């Protein structure tokens, strides 16, 4: 069934029910002469000008009333002027103050919130770095001297390191991984975590080679530098110059502390060599260079810290313990200077690594106190900056709310004058669209358009502004819509009348032709001539069906119907007899169901269209099978199977939609008549039609007859309930012949039976399968 329905599947337009069409057609029939005369009158010269003149007369008083009032009155301002005055001040205020100041404040608050989080992380990282420094420096002497890694001097600092590591890991859980500003921080924390996972390996291999103490110190230093680098990330996370300066100063001081710690570890390893078999304290060439470099780096970092911190008095106050008169710190600095002055300087020193560790511990602890002080100052600074940003945001918000409040009051006064006119225009437009215009169209459909009141009520807005002019234009459009609706109603009635007239004339001629052919058939004895007459009879029947399509387009219903129910098998035979390739149609398993008389003609027409489509678009060597099934609820399902090339799912969906909702009659109907006629006839009697792919290839048309159509006059079967009738076993006289209204008399009862070839017989006495 692909070909015809595929071409017909592009029909457009809204659905039009049979009842509505019938009503229009009835109106056209009732007033056929009047509407025809009205159409002729409308086409006469000057008729259009008169109509336009009437519309102009209606609109002219409104044009005269628009000019009232002063142009300075608020109601007469131009729409553009009102809109500018309505939105100018709020937009300027919101853009200037909100987008600039509040946004900056909110961004600052967000940055400073992140800064507080990073400050806490930096504190934990600094504590972990200090724990690693103590672990490295304190275990340097025992492990180089050959003591066990399980000694108290080694295990105790490692336990403190593990605790600090756990605290740092918990602090990093507060990072919001979805924050774009924290992506870099999160990546750095993950990298630090991977490095900290190597701590076990570093401990297992710590200070194994007494000549290369710097190797273990360097591995610890890499972990410590990664932790101290978080202070640099603090500088990247904020745009505040004071916070950037503070974080850089902290990073510089932490670097100086780490370099001092490296010196402590290197010298401890050198003194520990003296406890190995009575050797002297000694540093290898590489260890001495590494320690000497750490001493120089410490001095450079302290100078950088003094420059970055800025406040010289505060700087001197902070580093005073390191440069003051604390004996241990002075002694530790002098010893470090002496040891790293030349390569073998440590050889002449007679100290134990424990004495050196206790001596340098005072300096490292003093530096740790300074480092914590810097962290506290930075945290307090971040808190103060956040409070200031929050106060600014609140102040700016209050100011903007005040300005917007004043703006809205002024805007309300301006908008109120607009809203009144717009609301009246809106209400009137909706009333016209939903009530007035549909009511006028309905009246024109049911009555003579010339007898319908087409007066248009004005919107009632007569200002000079754009709203008033739109209201005036709407009144004119309304008037033109009413006029066009009247012309359309007249045209539709005339077209329906022409369709009906042409169809009736054609049907009359065809019926006379069929009668003449039937008379010739009864007199002819020559088989060849009789076969030609049968073909001519069949073509005339198909011509009659095409003529009936015009009646369907016009919304006409049969003037007379069958008064008695007709067996479904006869209906199917009658439909098959109206198809050109009727010999390919095979009826099988048709239930003993009768079709109510009022639906017989339309059902035959509907089935004939479907069968015509099935035979036209499937192979000539195949059969089109028609079967019927009676459902338990009384409905009957008729299936028409063909073996054509089938349809795509998209085409099937579109065609089924067209069948369920036939489009409005327009020019495209001439190219899609079959689909339109089938849909209109099915809606007339509540018949459901659906196309679906066939299991054996091709397409299956499903025709669901409702119970009131299929069982409107069911007769009790003589055989058992549910028995079926073999269509091929029926005698020729049982075939239904569909009669037009003007061929039957008012006294006819039941379906007429005829043995003519066009309805029940074919040349040679054969029947449609």
């Amino acid at each position: 069934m692909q070909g015809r329905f595929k071409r017909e599947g592009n029909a457009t337009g809204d659905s039009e029910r049979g009842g509505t069409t019938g009503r229009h057609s009835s109106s056209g029939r009732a007033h056929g002469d009047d509407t025809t005369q009205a159409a002729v009158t409308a086409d006469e010269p000057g008729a259009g000008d008169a109509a336009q003149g009437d519309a102009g007369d209606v609109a002219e008083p409104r044009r005269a009333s628009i000019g009232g009032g002063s142009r300075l009155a608020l109601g007469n301002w131009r729409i553009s002027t009102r809109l500018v005055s309505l939105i100018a001040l709020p937009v300027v205020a919101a853009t200037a103050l909100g987008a600039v100041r509040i946004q900056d404040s909110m961004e600052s608050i967000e940055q400073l919130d992140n800064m507080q989080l990073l400050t806490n992380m930096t504190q934990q990282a600094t504590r972990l770095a200090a724990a690693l420094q103590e672990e490295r420096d304190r275990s340097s002497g025992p492990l180089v001297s050959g003591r066990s890694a399980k000694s108290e001097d080694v295990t105790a600092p490692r336990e403190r390191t593990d605790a600090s590591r756990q605290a740092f890991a918990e602090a990093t859980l507060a990072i919001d991984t979805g924050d774009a500003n924290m992506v870099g921080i999160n990546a750095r924390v993950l990298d630090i975590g991977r490095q900290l996972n190597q701590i076990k390996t570093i401990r297992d291999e710590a200070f194994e080679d007494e000549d290369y103490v710097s190797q273990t110190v360097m591995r610890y230093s890499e972990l410590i530098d990664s932790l101290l680098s978080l202070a640099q990330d603090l500088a990247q996370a904020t745009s505040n110059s004071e916070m950037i300066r503070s974080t850089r100063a902290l990073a510089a001081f932490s670097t100086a502390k780490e370099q001092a710690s490296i010196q402590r570890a290197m010298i401890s390893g050198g003194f520990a060599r003296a406890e190995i078999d009575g050797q002297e304290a000694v540093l290898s060439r590489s260890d001495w260079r590494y320690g000497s470099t750490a001493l120089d780096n410490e001095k450079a970092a302290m100078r950088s810290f003094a420059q970055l911190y800025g406040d010289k008095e505060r700087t001197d106050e902070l580093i005073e313990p390191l440069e003051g008169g604390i004996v241990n710190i002075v002694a530790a600095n002098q010893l470090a200077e002496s040891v790293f002055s030349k390569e073998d300087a440590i050889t002449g020193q007679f100290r134990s690594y424990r004495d050196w560790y206790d001596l340098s511990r005072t300096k490292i602890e003093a530096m740790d106190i300074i480092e914590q002080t810097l962290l506290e100052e930075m945290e307090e600074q971040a808190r103060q900056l956040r409070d200031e940003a929050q106060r600014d945001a609140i102040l700016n918000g209050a100011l903007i709310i005040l300005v917007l409040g004043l703006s809205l009051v002024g805007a309300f006064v301006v908008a109120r004058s607009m809203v009144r006119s717009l609301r009246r225009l809106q209400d009137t437009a909706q009333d016209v669209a939903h009530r007035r215009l549909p009511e006028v169209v309905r009246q024109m459909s049911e009555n003579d358009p010339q007898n319908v009141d087409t007066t248009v009520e004005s919107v009632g807005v007569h200002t000079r502004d754009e709203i008033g002019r739109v209201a005036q234009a709407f009144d004119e459009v309304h008037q033109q819509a009413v006029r066009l609706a009247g012309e359309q109603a007249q045209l539709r009635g005339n077209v329906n009348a022409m369709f009906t007239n042409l169809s009736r004339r054609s049907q009359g001629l065809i019926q006379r032709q069929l009668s003449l052919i039937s008379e010739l058939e009864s007199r002819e004895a020559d088989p060849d001539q009789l076969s030609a007459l049968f073909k001519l009879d069949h073509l005339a029947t198909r011509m009659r069906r095409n003529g009936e399509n015009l009646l369907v387009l016009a919304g006409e219903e049969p003037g007379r119907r069958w008064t008695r129910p007709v067996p479904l098998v006869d209906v199917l035979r009658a439909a098959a007899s109206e198809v050109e390739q009727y010999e390919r149609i095979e009826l099988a398993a048709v239930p003993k169901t009768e079709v109510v008389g009022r639906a017989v003609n339309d059902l035959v027409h509907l089935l004939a269209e479907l069968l015509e489509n099935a035979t036209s678009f499937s192979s000539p060597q195949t059969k089109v099978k028609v079967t019927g099934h009676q459902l338990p609820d009384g409905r009957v399902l008729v299936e028409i199977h063909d073996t054509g090339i089938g349809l795509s799912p998209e085409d099937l969906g579109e065609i089924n939609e067209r069948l369920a909702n036939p489009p409005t009659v327009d020019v495209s109907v001439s190219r899609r008549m079959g689909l339109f006629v089938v849909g209109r006839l099915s809606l007339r009697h509540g018949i459901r039609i659906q196309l679906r792919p066939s299991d054996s290839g091709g397409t299956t048309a499903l025709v669901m007859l409702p119970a009131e159509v299929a069982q409107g006059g069911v007769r009790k079967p003589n055989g058992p309930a549910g028995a079926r009738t073999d269509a091929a076993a029926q005698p020729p006289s049982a075939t239904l012949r569909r009669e037009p209204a003007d061929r039957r008399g008012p006294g006819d009862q039941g379906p007429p039976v005829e043995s003519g070839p066009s309805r029940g017989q074919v040349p040679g006495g054969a029947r449609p399968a």
Side-chain angles (χ1 to χ4, degrees):
M1 288 194 175
Q2 183 175 4
R4 176 182 300 175
F5 283 140
K6 188 170 185 179
R7 292 195 300 270
E8 295 173 349
N10 296 327
T12 57
D14 300 331
S15 301
E16 181 173 342
R17 300 291 180 181
T20 305
T21 306
R23 183 184 62 188
H24 292 181
S25 302
S26 300
S27 176
R29 291 194 302 271
H31 303 280
D33 296 336
D34 295 338
T35 54
T36 304
Q37 182 63 33
V40 174
T41 304
D43 292 337
E44 291 177 356
D49 297 338
Q52 294 178 359
D54 294 340
D57 295 340
V58 175
E60 191 62 35
R62 290 196 298 273
R63 293 195 186 96
S65 63
I66 288 178
S70 172
R71 181 171 294 276
L72 298 178
L74 189 60
N76 291 329
W77 287 9
R78 295 176 60 84
I79 279 289
S80 57
T81 305
R82 286 194 233 176
L83 290 178
V84 169
S85 64
L86 179 65
I87 66 175
L89 186 57
V91 168
V92 171
T95 303
L97 298 177
V100 177
R101 302 188 63 180
I102 292 183
Q103 185 65 25
D104 290 344
S105 299
M106 296 304 296
E107 289 179 357
S108 299
I109 291 174
E110 183 178 359
Q111 288 181 353
L112 293 171
D113 286 339
N114 293 335
M115 180 63 67
Q116 287 184 336
L117 171 63
L118 294 176
T119 301
N120 181 44
M121 288 175 50
T122 302
Q123 288 178 341
Q124 297 299 330
T126 303
R127 292 190 180 99
L128 178 56
L132 287 171
Q133 290 169 351
E134 183 181 2
E135 175 185 333
R136 176 189 61 190
D137 300 350
R138 190 171 178 182
S139 61
S140 174
L143 292 178
V144 171
S145 65
R147 297 183 62 182
S148 172
K150 296 182 179 180
S151 62
E152 179 67 19
D153 291 341
V154 177
T155 58
R158 289 183 177 181
E159 291 176 355
R160 287 191 289 272
T161 299
D162 292 340
S164 299
R165 180 182 176 186
Q166 180 63 29
F168 173 74
E170 293 176 355
T172 59
L173 296 177
I175 297 177
D176 183 7
T177 57
D179 189 349
N181 297 325
M182 300 294 287
V183 172
I185 302 296
N186 186 53
R188 177 61 63 86
V189 168
L190 292 176
D191 183 61
I192 293 174
R194 286 191 292 268
Q195 295 182 36
L196 290 175
N197 291 332
Q198 302 175 3
I199 189 66
K200 184 177 184 304
T201 303
I202 296 175
R203 288 171 176 174
D204 293 341
E205 300 174 356
F207 305 106
E208 290 181 345
D209 190 346
E210 60 189 28
D211 291 331
Y212 292 99
V213 175
S214 58
Q215 183 177 10
T216 300
V217 174
M218 187 181 302
R219 297 180 70 179
Y220 271 101
S221 182
E222 290 176 354
L223 296 180
I224 294 170
D225 289 342
S226 297
L227 291 168
L228 296 179
S229 65
L230 284 177
Q232 297 293 340
D233 294 330
L234 282 173
Q236 298 175 4
T238 178
S239 59
N240 185 274
S241 59
E242 292 296 324
M243 288 297 300
I244 293 175
R245 181 187 59 79
S246 298
T247 54
R248 289 179 176 175
L250 173 64
F253 189 83
S254 296
T255 300
K257 178 187 171 186
E258 166 61 9
Q259 298 302 315
S261 177
I262 289 175
Q263 299 171 48
R264 182 173 65 174
M266 298 303 300
I267 295 175
S268 294
F271 283 134
R273 296 277 295 275
E275 297 185 14
I276 303 176
D277 297 332
Q279 297 181 12
E280 294 181 344
V282 63
L283 284 174
S284 65
R285 184 179 183 85
S286 62
D287 289 348
W288 179 85
R289 287 182 177 178
Y290 188 71
S292 177
T293 302
L295 177 63
D296 294 339
N297 290 340
E298 178 191 359
K299 295 178 181 178
M302 289 301 296
R303 289 193 297 269
S304 177
F305 165 72
Q307 294 175 356
L308 290 172
Y309 196 75
D311 189 349
K312 188 176 185 307
E313 294 183 2
R314 178 58 178 164
T315 302
D316 294 340
E317 181 182 352
L318 283 174
I319 65 176
E320 181 180 1
L322 301 179
E323 299 179 351
I326 299 178
V327 177
N328 286 348
I329 295 178
V330 173
N333 289 334
Q334 291 176 351
L335 181 58
E337 291 281 354
S338 176
V339 167
F340 295 116
S341 61
K342 58 182 180 178
E343 291 186 16
D344 57 349
I346 194 174
T347 304
Q349 302 291 337
F350 298 98
R351 289 178 182 271
S352 67
Y353 69 85
R354 295 182 183 87
D355 294 338
W356 159 247
Y357 184 85
D358 292 339
L359 187 67
S360 61
R361 183 175 184 177
T362 304
K363 177 181 178 180
I364 299 300
E365 288 179 347
M367 297 183 77
D368 185 67
I369 293 173
I370 296 173
E371 188 177 46
Q372 293 299 321
T373 301
L374 293 175
L375 280 169
E376 292 174 358
E377 289 180 354
M378 187 171 62
E379 182 179 11
E380 179 63 24
Q381 186 179 11
R383 186 182 299 110
Q384 291 178 356
L385 290 174
R386 186 186 185 283
D387 293 341
E388 290 177 1
Q390 189 172 14
R391 285 195 299 271
D392 290 343
I394 295 174
L395 180 61
N396 293 333
L399 180 61
I400 289 175
I401 291 175
L402 178 61
V403 173
L404 287 177
L406 295 175
S407 301
L408 290 175
V409 171
F412 175 77
V413 176
V414 177
R416 187 178 179 184
S417 64
M418 299 173 59
V419 169
R420 286 180 177 176
S421 299
L422 289 174
R423 184 171 298 168
R424 184 166 186 176
L425 178 59
Q426 176 186 0
D427 293 342
T428 304
Q430 290 179 347
D431 186 48
V432 169
H434 299 153
R435 186 182 64 83
R436 296 187 197 174
L437 191 57
E439 179 65 20
V440 171
V441 173
R442 185 188 64 80
Q443 293 178 5
M444 290 181 178
S445 301
E446 297 177 353
N447 305 283
D448 188 347
Q450 294 181 352
N451 297 331
V452 177
D453 183 12
T454 59
T455 303
V456 173
E457 182 180 353
S458 173
V459 173
V461 178
H462 306 301
T463 56
R464 286 186 182 181
D465 63 354
E466 287 84 350
I467 299 177
R469 298 187 181 277
V470 168
Q472 174 192 352
F474 179 80
D475 289 338
E476 295 175 355
V477 169
H478 186 190
Q479 180 67 44
Q480 293 298 320
V482 171
R483 183 182 63 82
L484 290 176
E487 293 179 357
Q488 289 292 328
Q490 290 181 351
L491 178 60
R492 186 165 51 250
N494 293 337
V495 171
N496 288 342
M498 286 188 293
F499 280 174
T500 303
N501 192 12
L502 288 174
S503 178
R504 296 298 185 192
R505 290 173 180 268
S506 298
Q507 281 193 327
L509 295 175
I510 292 173
Q511 285 305 127
R512 292 170 58 187
Q513 181 181 1
L514 286 172
S515 299
L516 180 58
I517 293 174
S518 298
E519 183 179 353
L520 293 175
E521 289 172 353
S522 63
R523 299 176 182 177
E524 186 61 51
D526 186 358
D528 294 335
Q529 293 296 328
L530 186 59
S531 176
L533 289 174
F534 284 164
K535 292 181 180 180
L536 185 60
D537 190 330
H538 187 73
L539 289 175
T541 303
R542 293 176 59 208
M543 291 172 59
R544 184 182 65 182
R545 175 158 54 86
N546 290 334
E548 290 174 352
N549 287 342
L550 293 177
L551 290 179
V552 177
L553 294 179
E556 291 287 343
E557 295 187 8
R560 294 175 183 173
R561 298 188 177 97
W562 300 88
T563 57
R564 292 182 181 178
V566 177
L568 178 60
V569 65
D570 288 344
V571 173
L572 292 173
R573 287 176 175 176
S577 68
E578 297 190 5
V579 177
E580 180 178 3
Q581 304 179 48
Y582 58 86
E583 66 278 0
R584 293 176 50 204
I585 300 174
E586 179 180 304
L587 303 182
V590 179
K592 291 183 178 181
T593 302
E594 295 186 344
V595 179
V596 67
R598 59 180 172 81
V600 169
N601 278 341
D602 290 341
L603 184 57
V604 171
H605 194 168
L606 182 151
L607 293 172
E609 291 289 346
L610 295 176
L611 292 172
E612 184 77 43
N613 188 79
T615 57
S616 299
F617 299 99
S618 60
S619 176
Q621 290 77 28
T622 61
K623 294 287 187 179
V624 174
K625 296 183 180 180
V626 181
T627 59
H629 308 278
Q630 186 167 7
L631 304 182
D633 58 359
R635 294 180 298 169
V636 172
L637 176 63
V638 177
E639 300 184 11
I640 301 175
H641 305 270
D642 66 54
T643 55
I645 61 176
L647 291 165
S648 65
E650 294 77 9
D651 290 337
L652 281 175
E654 185 176 359
I655 290 173
N656 287 327
E657 175 63 22
R658 298 293 181 184
L659 289 173
N661 300 296
T664 305
V665 178
D666 55 15
V667 178
S668 63
V669 170
S670 62
R671 300 188 300 271
R672 309 175 179 91
M673 186 176 296
L675 179 63
F676 181 85
V677 169
V678 170
R680 276 291 182 87
L681 293 177
S682 64
L683 288 178
R684 185 177 294 175
H685 301 286
I687 300 173
R688 293 179 56 189
I689 301 177
Q690 186 178 19
L691 302 185
R692 69 179 184 184
S694 179
D695 296 336
S696 58
T699 305
T700 298
L702 304 178
V703 181
M704 181 67 71
L705 305 180
E708 56 270 18
V709 172
Q711 293 184 339
V714 174
R715 300 171 183 173
K716 295 182 180 179
N718 296 328
R724 294 178 177 270
T725 300
D726 186 359
Q730 294 298 311
S733 60
T735 303
L736 171 68
R737 179 167 184 171
R738 188 155 61 100
E739 299 282 354
D742 59 350
R743 184 90 185 267
R744 301 184 58 218
D748 291 344
Q749 296 294 328
V753 176
E754 183 172 314
S755 58
S758 64
R759 312 321 178 274
Q761 296 180 351
V762 292
R767 286 187 166 278

